[in-house]
Amino acid sequence: MDPLLAYTTEKVPEITDWIEQLVKIESPSSDPAAVNRAVEFVADRLAGEAEVVRHRANGFGDHLRLEFPLPGRRKQAQVLGIGHLDTVYPVGTLASMPFKRAQGRLWGPGVFDMKSGVTYFVFAARALRDLDIPVRRRFVVQLNSDEEIGSPSSRRYTEREAKKSVAALIAEPSAGPEGNVKTARKGGGGFRIGVRGIAAHAGLDFAAGASAIVELARQIERVAEWTDLAKGITINPGLIRGGTATNTVAEEAWAEVDVRVPRKSDARRLERKFASLKSFDRRTQVRVEGNLRRPPMERNRAILGIYRLARKLSRELGLELGEAQVGGGSDGNFTAALGLPTLDGIGAVGERPHSPGECIYVDRIADRVALIAKVIAAL
Ligand SMILES: [Zn+2]
Protein backbone atom coordinates (compact mmCIF):
# COMPACT_ATOMS: atom_id res chain seq x y z
CA MET A 1 0.00 0.00 0.00
CA ASP A 2 1.12 3.58 -0.63
CA PRO A 3 2.93 4.69 2.58
CA LEU A 4 0.96 7.95 2.79
CA LEU A 5 -2.30 6.09 2.39
CA ALA A 6 -1.24 3.55 5.02
CA TYR A 7 -0.52 6.43 7.42
CA THR A 8 -3.76 8.31 6.78
CA THR A 9 -5.80 5.10 6.99
CA GLU A 10 -4.40 4.46 10.45
CA LYS A 11 -5.25 8.05 11.43
CA VAL A 12 -8.92 7.94 10.42
CA PRO A 13 -10.21 7.63 14.03
CA GLU A 14 -8.13 10.66 15.05
CA ILE A 15 -9.27 12.61 11.99
CA THR A 16 -12.93 11.88 12.66
CA ASP A 17 -12.44 12.99 16.28
CA TRP A 18 -11.12 16.34 15.09
CA ILE A 19 -14.03 16.74 12.67
CA GLU A 20 -16.51 15.84 15.40
CA GLN A 21 -15.11 18.44 17.75
CA LEU A 22 -15.10 21.13 15.07
CA VAL A 23 -18.67 20.35 13.97
CA LYS A 24 -19.81 20.57 17.59
CA ILE A 25 -18.50 24.15 17.74
CA GLU A 26 -21.23 25.93 15.81
CA SER A 27 -19.82 28.84 13.82
CA PRO A 28 -22.17 30.84 11.59
CA SER A 29 -20.47 33.66 9.66
CA SER A 30 -22.77 36.22 11.27
CA ASP A 31 -21.69 35.38 14.84
CA PRO A 32 -18.04 36.42 15.38
CA ALA A 33 -17.87 35.09 18.95
CA ALA A 34 -19.10 31.69 17.79
CA VAL A 35 -16.66 31.55 14.87
CA ASN A 36 -13.86 32.53 17.23
CA ARG A 37 -14.54 29.46 19.36
CA ALA A 38 -13.69 27.37 16.29
CA VAL A 39 -10.67 29.59 15.63
CA GLU A 40 -9.49 29.01 19.22
CA PHE A 41 -9.95 25.27 18.92
CA VAL A 42 -7.67 25.14 15.88
CA ALA A 43 -5.14 27.62 17.29
CA ASP A 44 -4.91 25.76 20.61
CA ARG A 45 -4.58 22.36 19.01
CA LEU A 46 -1.80 23.51 16.72
CA ALA A 47 0.20 25.53 19.22
CA GLY A 48 3.78 24.27 19.04
CA GLU A 49 3.07 22.44 15.81
CA ALA A 50 2.46 25.34 13.44
CA GLU A 51 3.21 29.03 13.49
CA VAL A 52 -0.18 30.61 14.19
CA VAL A 53 -1.17 34.21 13.37
CA ARG A 54 -4.63 35.62 14.04
CA HIS A 55 -5.88 38.47 11.86
CA ARG A 56 -8.60 40.41 13.66
CA ALA A 57 -11.52 41.31 11.46
CA ASN A 58 -14.10 43.90 12.35
CA GLY A 59 -17.58 42.40 12.52
CA PHE A 60 -16.38 38.88 11.70
CA GLY A 61 -14.49 36.11 13.42
CA ASP A 62 -10.70 36.19 13.19
CA HIS A 63 -8.88 34.80 10.17
CA LEU A 64 -6.10 32.33 10.91
CA ARG A 65 -2.78 31.97 9.15
CA LEU A 66 -0.99 28.70 9.89
CA GLU A 67 2.46 27.83 8.71
CA PHE A 68 3.51 24.20 9.10
CA PRO A 69 7.23 23.43 9.31
CA LEU A 70 7.75 20.47 6.98
CA PRO A 71 10.71 18.24 6.15
CA GLY A 72 13.12 19.15 3.37
CA ARG A 73 15.92 21.69 3.25
CA ARG A 74 15.73 25.18 1.80
CA LYS A 75 12.19 26.19 0.93
CA GLN A 76 11.29 28.35 -2.02
CA ALA A 77 7.95 30.18 -2.19
CA GLN A 78 4.87 28.58 -0.65
CA VAL A 79 1.88 26.40 -1.30
CA LEU A 80 -1.30 27.99 0.02
CA GLY A 81 -4.10 25.92 1.51
CA ILE A 82 -7.34 27.82 1.96
CA GLY A 83 -10.25 26.84 4.14
CA HIS A 84 -12.96 28.50 6.17
CA LEU A 85 -14.26 27.98 9.67
CA ASP A 86 -17.63 29.68 9.24
CA THR A 87 -20.78 27.79 8.26
CA VAL A 88 -24.24 28.72 7.01
CA TYR A 89 -25.99 27.21 10.05
CA PRO A 90 -27.21 29.40 12.95
CA VAL A 91 -26.24 28.52 16.52
CA GLY A 92 -28.75 25.95 17.78
CA THR A 93 -28.85 23.91 14.56
CA LEU A 94 -27.10 21.02 16.34
CA ALA A 95 -30.31 20.39 18.29
CA SER A 96 -32.15 19.31 15.14
CA MET A 97 -29.11 18.19 13.15
CA PRO A 98 -26.74 16.62 15.69
CA PHE A 99 -23.29 15.33 14.85
CA LYS A 100 -23.49 11.60 14.28
CA ARG A 101 -21.61 8.68 12.78
CA ALA A 102 -23.94 6.35 10.91
CA GLN A 103 -24.14 4.42 7.64
CA GLY A 104 -20.42 4.90 7.01
CA ARG A 105 -20.84 8.67 7.11
CA LEU A 106 -20.32 11.63 9.40
CA TRP A 107 -23.27 14.00 9.66
CA GLY A 108 -23.77 17.48 11.04
CA PRO A 109 -23.83 21.19 10.24
CA GLY A 110 -20.76 22.16 8.26
CA VAL A 111 -19.26 18.65 8.29
CA PHE A 112 -18.82 18.76 4.51
CA ASP A 113 -18.51 22.52 4.01
CA MET A 114 -15.94 22.49 5.47
CA LYS A 115 -15.00 21.37 8.96
CA SER A 116 -13.62 18.22 7.33
CA GLY A 117 -11.55 20.07 4.72
CA VAL A 118 -9.90 22.19 7.41
CA THR A 119 -9.05 19.01 9.32
CA TYR A 120 -7.61 17.38 6.18
CA PHE A 121 -5.02 20.13 5.81
CA VAL A 122 -3.83 19.55 9.38
CA PHE A 123 -3.49 15.81 8.91
CA ALA A 124 -1.89 16.14 5.47
CA ALA A 125 0.81 18.32 7.08
CA ARG A 126 1.22 15.82 9.93
CA ALA A 127 1.56 12.97 7.44
CA LEU A 128 4.39 14.73 5.59
CA ARG A 129 6.10 15.54 8.88
CA ASP A 130 5.72 12.11 10.50
CA LEU A 131 6.80 10.23 7.36
CA ASP A 132 9.65 12.69 6.81
CA ILE A 133 8.68 13.35 3.20
CA PRO A 134 10.71 16.28 1.84
CA VAL A 135 8.74 19.28 0.65
CA ARG A 136 10.19 22.06 -1.52
CA ARG A 137 7.73 24.79 -0.51
CA ARG A 138 6.60 26.32 2.69
CA PHE A 139 3.06 25.19 3.50
CA VAL A 140 0.73 27.95 4.64
CA VAL A 141 -2.93 27.44 5.47
CA GLN A 142 -5.31 30.33 5.69
CA LEU A 143 -8.63 29.74 7.44
CA ASN A 144 -11.19 32.46 6.80
CA SER A 145 -14.19 33.29 8.93
CA ASP A 146 -16.43 34.98 6.35
CA GLU A 147 -16.32 32.77 3.24
CA GLU A 148 -20.00 31.86 3.31
CA ILE A 149 -20.94 35.53 2.94
CA GLY A 150 -18.49 36.27 0.15
CA SER A 151 -15.24 36.82 2.11
CA PRO A 152 -15.59 40.61 2.45
CA SER A 153 -12.91 40.94 5.13
CA SER A 154 -10.64 37.97 4.36
CA ARG A 155 -10.26 38.57 0.64
CA ARG A 156 -7.26 40.86 1.08
CA TYR A 157 -5.40 38.26 3.18
CA THR A 158 -6.20 35.57 0.63
CA GLU A 159 -4.87 37.72 -2.19
CA ARG A 160 -1.80 38.77 -0.21
CA GLU A 161 -0.85 35.13 0.47
CA ALA A 162 -1.76 34.10 -3.07
CA LYS A 163 0.77 36.52 -4.50
CA LYS A 164 3.52 34.73 -2.55
CA SER A 165 2.39 31.25 -3.60
CA VAL A 166 3.01 28.83 -6.46
CA ALA A 167 -0.40 27.18 -6.11
CA ALA A 168 -3.56 27.23 -4.03
CA LEU A 169 -5.44 24.22 -2.67
CA ILE A 170 -9.03 24.95 -1.67
CA ALA A 171 -10.51 22.48 0.82
CA GLU A 172 -14.07 23.05 -0.40
CA PRO A 173 -16.40 20.05 -0.76
CA SER A 174 -15.74 17.98 -3.86
CA ALA A 175 -18.45 17.50 -6.49
CA GLY A 176 -20.44 14.32 -6.95
CA PRO A 177 -20.29 11.02 -5.09
CA GLU A 178 -16.93 10.17 -6.71
CA GLY A 179 -15.22 13.29 -5.33
CA ASN A 180 -14.46 15.38 -8.42
CA VAL A 181 -12.42 18.55 -8.01
CA LYS A 182 -13.79 21.82 -9.35
CA THR A 183 -11.96 23.21 -12.37
CA ALA A 184 -14.35 26.07 -13.06
CA ARG A 185 -16.64 28.17 -10.95
CA LYS A 186 -18.94 30.94 -11.98
CA GLY A 187 -18.26 34.41 -10.74
CA GLY A 188 -21.02 36.39 -9.25
CA GLY A 189 -22.45 39.03 -7.09
CA GLY A 190 -25.61 40.95 -6.61
CA PHE A 191 -27.39 44.11 -7.51
CA ARG A 192 -30.05 46.04 -5.67
CA ILE A 193 -32.47 47.88 -7.92
CA GLY A 194 -34.28 50.62 -6.01
CA VAL A 195 -37.13 52.64 -7.48
CA ARG A 196 -38.60 55.87 -6.14
CA GLY A 197 -41.96 56.80 -7.59
CA ILE A 198 -44.64 59.29 -6.59
CA ALA A 199 -47.18 58.33 -3.94
CA ALA A 200 -50.87 59.09 -4.52
CA HIS A 201 -54.30 57.86 -3.43
CA ALA A 202 -55.28 55.05 -5.79
CA GLY A 203 -58.91 56.18 -5.89
CA LEU A 204 -58.89 59.96 -5.52
CA ASP A 205 -55.72 60.95 -7.26
CA PHE A 206 -54.43 58.04 -9.33
CA ALA A 207 -53.04 60.03 -12.27
CA ALA A 208 -50.84 62.12 -9.97
CA GLY A 209 -48.98 58.99 -8.87
CA ALA A 210 -46.10 57.15 -10.49
CA SER A 211 -45.90 53.60 -9.21
CA ALA A 212 -42.52 52.39 -8.04
CA ILE A 213 -43.87 48.84 -8.15
CA VAL A 214 -44.96 49.00 -11.79
CA GLU A 215 -41.63 50.55 -12.72
CA LEU A 216 -39.70 47.92 -10.77
CA ALA A 217 -41.70 45.14 -12.40
CA ARG A 218 -40.65 46.42 -15.82
CA GLN A 219 -37.02 46.69 -14.74
CA ILE A 220 -37.11 43.11 -13.48
CA GLU A 221 -38.49 41.90 -16.80
CA ARG A 222 -35.66 43.68 -18.54
CA VAL A 223 -32.80 42.30 -16.41
CA ALA A 224 -34.27 38.79 -16.27
CA GLU A 225 -34.01 38.68 -20.07
CA TRP A 226 -30.23 38.93 -19.75
CA THR A 227 -30.19 35.32 -18.53
CA ASP A 228 -28.43 33.26 -21.18
CA LEU A 229 -28.42 29.60 -20.24
CA ALA A 230 -26.33 28.60 -23.25
CA LYS A 231 -23.57 30.88 -21.94
CA GLY A 232 -24.21 29.92 -18.32
CA ILE A 233 -25.34 33.42 -17.37
CA THR A 234 -28.13 33.52 -14.79
CA ILE A 235 -29.99 36.54 -13.42
CA ASN A 236 -32.18 35.76 -10.43
CA PRO A 237 -34.35 38.47 -8.88
CA GLY A 238 -34.62 36.64 -5.59
CA LEU A 239 -36.00 39.28 -3.24
CA ILE A 240 -38.56 42.03 -3.75
CA ARG A 241 -40.31 44.55 -1.52
CA GLY A 242 -42.38 47.63 -2.10
CA GLY A 243 -45.47 49.69 -1.42
CA THR A 244 -47.37 50.51 1.75
CA ALA A 245 -51.06 49.75 1.03
CA THR A 246 -53.22 48.48 -1.83
CA ASN A 247 -55.04 51.81 -2.11
CA THR A 248 -51.81 53.78 -2.43
CA VAL A 249 -49.70 54.18 -5.56
CA ALA A 250 -46.34 52.90 -4.34
CA GLU A 251 -43.62 55.43 -3.71
CA GLU A 252 -40.82 52.92 -3.04
CA ALA A 253 -39.89 49.46 -4.25
CA TRP A 254 -36.69 47.48 -4.50
CA ALA A 255 -35.43 44.11 -5.61
CA GLU A 256 -32.22 42.19 -5.06
CA VAL A 257 -30.83 40.23 -7.95
CA ASP A 258 -28.29 37.39 -7.87
CA VAL A 259 -26.08 37.24 -10.95
CA ARG A 260 -23.70 34.44 -12.00
CA VAL A 261 -21.33 34.39 -14.96
CA PRO A 262 -18.72 31.90 -16.15
CA ARG A 263 -16.56 34.41 -18.05
CA LYS A 264 -14.85 37.63 -17.01
CA SER A 265 -15.84 39.39 -20.20
CA ASP A 266 -19.53 38.71 -19.48
CA ALA A 267 -19.10 39.99 -15.93
CA ARG A 268 -17.83 43.36 -17.16
CA ARG A 269 -20.54 43.61 -19.80
CA LEU A 270 -23.30 42.88 -17.28
CA GLU A 271 -21.92 45.37 -14.78
CA ARG A 272 -22.15 48.04 -17.46
CA LYS A 273 -25.70 47.00 -18.35
CA PHE A 274 -26.88 47.15 -14.74
CA ALA A 275 -25.20 50.52 -14.26
CA SER A 276 -26.99 51.96 -17.27
CA LEU A 277 -30.56 50.98 -16.33
CA LYS A 278 -32.92 53.91 -17.00
CA SER A 279 -36.51 54.36 -15.91
CA PHE A 280 -39.34 53.55 -18.34
CA ASP A 281 -41.60 56.10 -16.64
CA ARG A 282 -39.54 59.28 -16.45
CA ARG A 283 -41.38 60.36 -13.31
CA THR A 284 -39.70 57.54 -11.39
CA GLN A 285 -36.05 57.25 -10.41
CA VAL A 286 -34.10 54.03 -10.69
CA ARG A 287 -31.00 53.52 -8.59
CA VAL A 288 -28.71 50.51 -8.96
CA GLU A 289 -26.11 49.41 -6.41
CA GLY A 290 -23.85 46.39 -6.34
CA ASN A 291 -21.31 44.60 -8.48
CA LEU A 292 -19.96 41.20 -9.47
CA ARG A 293 -17.35 41.06 -6.74
CA ARG A 294 -16.45 37.41 -7.13
CA PRO A 295 -14.57 36.93 -10.42
CA PRO A 296 -15.20 33.71 -12.36
CA MET A 297 -12.72 30.87 -12.00
CA GLU A 298 -12.13 29.98 -15.63
CA ARG A 299 -10.87 26.57 -16.72
CA ASN A 300 -7.54 27.82 -18.04
CA ARG A 301 -4.07 26.29 -18.45
CA ALA A 302 -2.99 27.02 -14.87
CA ILE A 303 -6.07 25.26 -13.48
CA LEU A 304 -5.77 22.31 -15.86
CA GLY A 305 -2.07 21.94 -15.04
CA ILE A 306 -2.63 21.47 -11.32
CA TYR A 307 -5.70 19.32 -11.92
CA ARG A 308 -3.66 16.97 -14.14
CA LEU A 309 -0.94 16.78 -11.52
CA ALA A 310 -3.50 15.83 -8.86
CA ARG A 311 -5.08 13.29 -11.19
CA LYS A 312 -1.70 11.63 -11.79
CA LEU A 313 -0.97 11.51 -8.03
CA SER A 314 -4.45 10.17 -7.39
CA ARG A 315 -3.69 7.15 -9.58
CA GLU A 316 -0.92 6.23 -7.12
CA LEU A 317 -3.79 5.77 -4.66
CA GLY A 318 -5.71 3.65 -7.13
CA LEU A 319 -8.29 6.35 -7.86
CA GLU A 320 -9.30 8.32 -10.92
CA LEU A 321 -9.80 12.00 -10.04
CA GLY A 322 -12.54 13.63 -12.10
CA GLU A 323 -13.38 17.28 -12.58
CA ALA A 324 -16.57 19.34 -12.50
CA GLN A 325 -17.69 22.87 -13.33
CA VAL A 326 -20.02 24.49 -10.82
CA GLY A 327 -22.09 27.63 -10.30
CA GLY A 328 -21.17 28.47 -6.73
CA GLY A 329 -18.16 30.60 -5.80
CA SER A 330 -15.36 30.11 -3.27
CA ASP A 331 -12.09 31.72 -2.24
CA GLY A 332 -10.65 29.81 -5.19
CA ASN A 333 -12.25 32.40 -7.46
CA PHE A 334 -9.91 35.02 -5.97
CA THR A 335 -6.71 32.98 -6.25
CA ALA A 336 -7.56 31.80 -9.78
CA ALA A 337 -8.28 35.37 -10.87
CA LEU A 338 -4.68 36.22 -9.92
CA GLY A 339 -3.48 33.53 -12.32
CA LEU A 340 -2.52 31.11 -9.55
CA PRO A 341 -2.90 27.38 -10.31
CA THR A 342 -5.87 26.59 -8.08
CA LEU A 343 -7.08 23.14 -7.10
CA ASP A 344 -10.57 23.65 -5.72
CA GLY A 345 -12.90 21.03 -4.24
CA ILE A 346 -9.97 19.04 -2.84
CA GLY A 347 -11.84 18.73 0.49
CA ALA A 348 -14.08 15.89 1.62
CA VAL A 349 -16.15 13.54 -0.48
CA GLY A 350 -19.76 13.65 0.62
CA GLU A 351 -23.24 14.93 -0.10
CA ARG A 352 -25.70 17.76 0.25
CA PRO A 353 -23.75 20.72 1.66
CA HIS A 354 -25.91 23.50 3.17
CA SER A 355 -28.79 21.13 3.89
CA PRO A 356 -30.04 18.91 6.73
CA GLY A 357 -28.65 15.87 4.88
CA GLU A 358 -25.06 17.23 4.82
CA CYS A 359 -22.58 14.38 5.32
CA ILE A 360 -19.18 13.01 4.32
CA TYR A 361 -18.09 9.46 3.46
CA VAL A 362 -15.79 7.94 6.08
CA ASP A 363 -14.21 5.52 3.59
CA ARG A 364 -12.99 8.48 1.50
CA ILE A 365 -11.20 10.31 4.32
CA ALA A 366 -7.86 8.53 4.09
CA ASP A 367 -7.35 8.82 0.33
CA ARG A 368 -8.30 12.48 0.35
CA VAL A 369 -5.85 13.44 3.09
CA ALA A 370 -3.15 11.38 1.33
CA LEU A 371 -3.87 13.12 -1.96
CA ILE A 372 -3.56 16.58 -0.39
CA ALA A 373 -0.21 15.56 1.13
CA LYS A 374 1.01 14.22 -2.23
CA VAL A 375 0.08 17.41 -4.05
CA ILE A 376 1.87 19.56 -1.45
CA ALA A 377 5.01 17.42 -1.78
CA ALA A 378 4.90 17.46 -5.60
CA LEU A 379 4.59 21.22 -6.09
ZN1 LIG B 1 -17.30 26.30 1.72
Side-chain angles (χ1 to χ4, degrees):
M1 192 193 252
D2 182 277
L4 265 167
L5 186 59
Y7 173 96
T8 56
T9 302
E10 193 190 297
K11 291 284 176 186
V12 167
E14 220 178 298
I15 296 170
T16 53
D17 267 6
W18 247 77
I19 297 171
E20 172 171 1
Q21 294 184 67
L22 264 180
V23 170
K24 286 180 171 171
I25 304 170
E26 295 181 290
S27 54
S29 327
S30 58
D31 187 338
V35 178
N36 279 341
R37 284 193 281 276
V39 169
E40 267 139 40
F41 170 86
V42 173
D44 287 353
R45 287 303 190 89
L46 295 180
E49 183 177 336
E51 190 186 298
V52 179
V53 177
R54 280 174 81 148
H55 298 294
R56 311 275 165 193
N58 229 337
F60 304 96
D62 299 341
H63 312 305
L64 268 184
R65 181 190 190 276
L66 310 168
E67 184 165 344
F68 292 87
L70 293 180
R73 284 182 296 161
R74 294 182 44 198
K75 301 272 193 276
Q76 283 190 342
Q78 65 184 31
V79 170
L80 178 62
I82 298 182
H84 62 84
L85 283 167
D86 60 321
T87 75
V88 295
Y89 301 94
V91 170
T93 303
L94 275 173
S96 59
M97 194 180 157
F99 176 88
K100 65 180 184 208
R101 307 171 190 227
Q103 301 160 272
R105 300 169 184 203
L106 307 182
W107 309 73
V111 68
F112 191 21
D113 189 6
M114 60 151 81
K115 300 286 173 79
S116 49
V118 167
T119 306
Y120 291 4
F121 279 141
V122 172
F123 282 85
R126 288 180 176 177
L128 292 166
R129 184 195 64 196
D130 292 351
L131 297 176
D132 201 26
I133 295 173
V135 175
R136 285 192 300 157
R137 314 292 185 185
R138 287 178 287 116
F139 181 47
V140 171
V141 171
Q142 188 181 312
L143 301 179
N144 296 326
S145 68
D146 58 355
E147 195 276 342
E148 294 290 5
I149 48 174
S151 303
S153 74
S154 62
R155 178 177 182 170
R156 65 193 180 102
Y157 298 111
T158 298
E159 291 181 336
R160 189 165 84 187
E161 293 297 339
K163 285 173 186 157
K164 296 186 274 183
S165 303
V166 295
L169 314 179
I170 318 290
E172 285 289 332
S174 58
E178 50 301 293
N180 301 317
V181 293
K182 297 169 177 175
T183 49
R185 286 180 178 275
K186 289 184 186 179
F191 293 89
R192 184 183 196 278
I193 304 173
V195 179
R196 171 171 284 263
I198 300 168
H201 191 293
L204 304 177
D205 210 12
F206 182 83
S211 170
I213 289 178
V214 172
E215 176 66 26
L216 180 62
R218 299 176 80 183
Q219 296 292 342
I220 287 174
E221 281 255 280
R222 172 150 68 182
V223 304
E225 278 172 9
W226 299 339
T227 288
D228 184 338
L229 293 179
K231 286 187 176 170
I233 298 169
T234 60
I235 315 283
N236 181 50
L239 262 181
I240 181 166
R241 296 275 188 283
T244 50
T246 55
N247 64 357
T248 301
V249 175
E251 185 176 22
E252 301 273 359
W254 57 263
E256 286 186 9
V257 184
D258 174 279
V259 177
R260 303 196 181 228
V261 288
R263 313 205 71 83
K264 266 181 227 157
S265 51
D266 291 324
R268 284 192 291 270
R269 189 172 54 80
L270 279 165
E271 280 187 333
R272 283 197 298 272
K273 288 178 86 157
F274 270 95
S276 63
L277 283 176
K278 299 252 172 351
S279 52
F280 289 89
D281 180 340
R282 292 298 167 82
R283 296 174 302 157
T284 66
Q285 292 162 11
V286 174
R287 207 176 132 192
V288 179
E289 290 162 34
N291 54 46
L292 296 179
R293 56 186 149 61
R294 200 135 34 185
M297 179 169 105
E298 298 188 30
R299 188 174 175 276
N300 57 22
R301 277 172 60 185
I303 303 259
L304 281 178
I306 193 166
Y307 162 59
R308 290 187 180 128
L309 170 70
R311 189 176 58 182
K312 188 181 85 178
L313 296 168
S314 179
R315 289 183 186 132
E316 296 174 8
L317 303 169
L319 291 164
E320 189 62 29
L321 185 68
E323 58 171 318
Q325 289 82 48
V326 297
S330 83
D331 287 327
N333 291 60
F334 300 133
T335 61
L338 292 171
L340 195 63
T342 297
L343 187 64
D344 199 339
I346 193 68
V349 184
E351 280 173 30
R352 295 163 72 189
H354 298 199
S355 86
E358 179 164 344
C359 64
I360 68 164
Y361 306 155
V362 174
D363 65 359
R364 294 300 308 275
I365 292 176
D367 72 78
R368 215 63 183 183
V369 178
L371 178 60
I372 293 171
K374 277 179 182 289
V375 174
I376 296 167
L379 283 165

